[in-house]
């Protein structure tokens, strides 16, 4: 656990920090004050899909709900020496090779590809079909939705179980982990923005609410982040486990896609600039993806 924290801190420390103002969407919609309203939040879907995680031999160790931890690592995580960022190409884009398992139906494959492509429209991240590269994202249907944080080296599994993970929000959420991001409610400044009610948390799941010494890339805490868990995440008694402050009625964790702040963070972590974001974007690229 400490290892993962160290990795993330290193990762975020290595990114540049800026101070541009961000407009946060007003949250005037339904706040989802009952557990039923939260059925389709990212965290509710993750919890449901990950109910059996760890029961199969070969499942990685998963912490924080859906973050896989490499096993067998002793002292320093190799990731900290290499840097967990994906490398930037001379043209300013970050090309991340991917492979999608044949376990998925054609329709599911299309949804996953749409999730991969969603990064192209707003960032310099370019997911490209695997050719001969060493490091890549290996999208499989394992027993739940999970991902490692940052680039791990070689093929790294991003699991999107066919049962319960093939949704735009979950796909983006897991890919954001692979890009190096953690959950919003573990941010260093979360206690100014949410109150965690550990008394309502399922015993043994308290670690999901641990705070991490993150660097936040000059971006504000974002209730609408696709990385924010819902109000009832890991609740043992149908009572809230996360309450926003000062206004307890603000909607949290109900994003169905990356928020403007999520996008801004990707652009900052990978130092994308506006010229690289739009280049090399051809409308026919979906066809290339689908032929693979
Ligand atoms: Zn997650």
């Amino acid at each position: 656990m400490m290892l993962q924290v160290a990795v993330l801190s290193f990762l975020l420390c290595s990114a540049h920090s800026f101070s541009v103002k961000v407009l946060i969407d007003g949250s005037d919609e339904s706040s989802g004050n009952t557990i039923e309203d939260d059925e389709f939040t990212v965290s509710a879907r993750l919890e449901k899909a990950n109910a059996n995680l760890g029961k199969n031999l070969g499942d990685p160790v998963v912490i924080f709900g859906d973050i896989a931890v490499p096993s067998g690592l002793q002292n320093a995580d190799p990731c900290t020496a290499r840097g967990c960022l994906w490398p930037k190409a001379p043209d300013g884009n970050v090309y991340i090779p991917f492979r999608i398992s044949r376990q998925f139906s054609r329709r599911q494959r299309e949804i996953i590809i749409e999730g991969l492509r969603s990064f192209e429209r707003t960032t310099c991240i370019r997911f490209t079909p695997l050719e001969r590269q060493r490091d890549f994202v290996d999208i499989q249907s394992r027993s739940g939705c999970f991902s490692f944080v940052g680039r791990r080296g070689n093929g790294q599994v991003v699991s999107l179980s066919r049962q319960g993970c093939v949704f735009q929000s979950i796909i983006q959420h897991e890919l954001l982990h692979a890009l190096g991001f953690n959950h919003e409610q573990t941010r260093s400044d979360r206690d100014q923005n949410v109150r965690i009610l550990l008394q309502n948390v399922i015993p043994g799941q308290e670690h999901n609410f641990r705070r991490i010494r993150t660097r936040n890339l000059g971006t504000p805490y974002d209730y609408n982040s696709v990385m924010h868990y819902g109000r009832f995440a890991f609740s043992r008694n149908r009572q809230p486990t996360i309450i926003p402050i000062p206004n307890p009625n603000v909607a949290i964790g109900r994003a169905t896609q990356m928020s403007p702040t999520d996008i801004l963070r990707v652009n900052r972590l990978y130092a994308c600039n506006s010229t690289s974001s739009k280049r090399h974007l051809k409308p026919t690229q979906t066809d290339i993806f689908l032929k693979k």
Side-chain angles (χ1 to χ4, degrees):
M1 171 74 64
M2 287 312 292
L3 209 60
Q4 199 68 19
V5 172
V7 171
L8 188 84
S9 313
F10 171 85
L11 184 71
L12 294 177
C13 286
S14 64
H16 300 283
S17 138
F18 300 85
S19 58
V20 175
K21 260 184 153 176
V22 190
L23 271 176
I24 308 190
D25 297 344
S27 304
D28 48 6
E29 344 148 7
S30 129
S31 63
N33 277 327
T34 70
I35 197 160
E36 282 78 17
D37 292 340
D38 266 19
E39 195 183 344
F40 300 113
T41 60
V42 169
S43 54
R45 280 183 158 144
L46 288 177
E47 250 187 277
K48 203 168 152 201
N50 289 354
N52 290 315
L53 196 57
K55 292 183 184 153
N56 289 346
L57 227 62
D59 282 346
V61 178
V62 169
I63 58 166
F64 288 125
D66 68 327
I67 296 178
V69 189
S71 54
L73 288 173
Q74 305 301 324
N75 303 307
D77 192 312
C79 174
T80 56
R82 272 202 311 271
C84 309
L85 294 187
W86 294 82
K88 223 165 148 67
D91 67 3
N93 287 322
V94 175
Y95 295 95
I96 303 181
F98 72 88
R99 182 169 78 180
I100 301 178
S101 159
R102 293 183 192 280
Q103 297 163 291
F104 297 101
S105 70
R106 188 182 170 84
R107 179 68 195 129
Q108 288 173 325
R109 203 179 157 80
E110 282 169 359
I111 296 170
I112 293 169
I113 287 168
E114 176 50 31
L116 293 166
R117 291 211 66 205
S118 66
F119 286 81
E120 291 183 14
R121 290 191 281 273
T122 46
T123 74
C124 60
I125 305 298
R126 302 286 180 269
F127 289 99
T128 55
L130 177 66
E131 287 171 1
R132 261 174 243 92
Q133 300 92 334
R134 187 196 57 183
D135 299 342
F136 64 97
V137 165
D138 198 1
I139 301 173
Q140 300 179 13
S141 172
R142 307 270 284 259
S143 49
C145 336
F146 58 84
S147 172
F148 294 88
V149 171
R151 180 174 60 99
R152 308 298 316 185
N154 301 309
Q156 66 184 69
V157 173
V158 168
S159 174
L160 297 171
S161 166
R162 296 185 55 175
Q163 278 86 41
C165 306
V166 185
F167 299 99
Q168 212 51 221
S169 54
I170 302 286
I171 297 166
Q172 289 180 338
H173 179 106
E174 300 305 339
L175 292 172
L176 283 168
H177 281 317
L179 286 171
F181 291 96
N182 219 304
H183 293 140
E184 193 72 357
Q185 74 278 355
T186 62
R187 259 173 72 126
S188 56
D189 61 351
R190 71 103 188 272
D191 291 335
Q192 283 87 62
N193 299 281
V194 291
R195 200 151 53 89
I196 305 294
L197 303 177
L198 283 180
Q199 65 269 32
N200 295 334
V201 173
I202 301 167
Q205 295 295 336
E206 296 88 351
H207 66 272
N208 288 294
F209 301 92
R210 202 173 287 178
R211 203 178 51 202
I212 296 180
R213 228 155 29 94
T214 54
R215 278 201 64 206
N216 303 319
L217 304 164
T219 61
Y221 191 94
D222 183 10
Y223 298 130
N224 295 317
S225 167
V226 80
M227 303 309 275
H228 203 303
Y229 273 11
R231 175 178 302 262
F232 300 95
F234 296 100
S235 175
R236 65 178 177 92
N237 54 8
R238 302 172 65 83
Q239 295 299 308
T241 54
I242 309 176
I243 292 182
I245 47 179
N247 180 355
N249 295 316
V250 172
I252 59 168
R254 299 173 64 81
T256 54
Q257 57 180 340
M258 286 191 286
S259 72
T261 315
D262 287 325
I263 292 166
L264 180 69
R265 280 177 203 148
V266 174
N267 283 312
R268 288 196 176 164
L269 187 61
Y270 284 92
C272 300
N273 61 50
S274 50
T275 49
S276 65
S277 306
K278 295 276 184 311
R279 269 189 302 174
H280 307 291
L281 244 192
K282 301 187 198 96
T284 52
Q285 245 169 346
T286 310
D287 306 335
I288 299 167
F289 283 141
L290 287 172
K291 268 180 217 149
K292 264 269 163 180

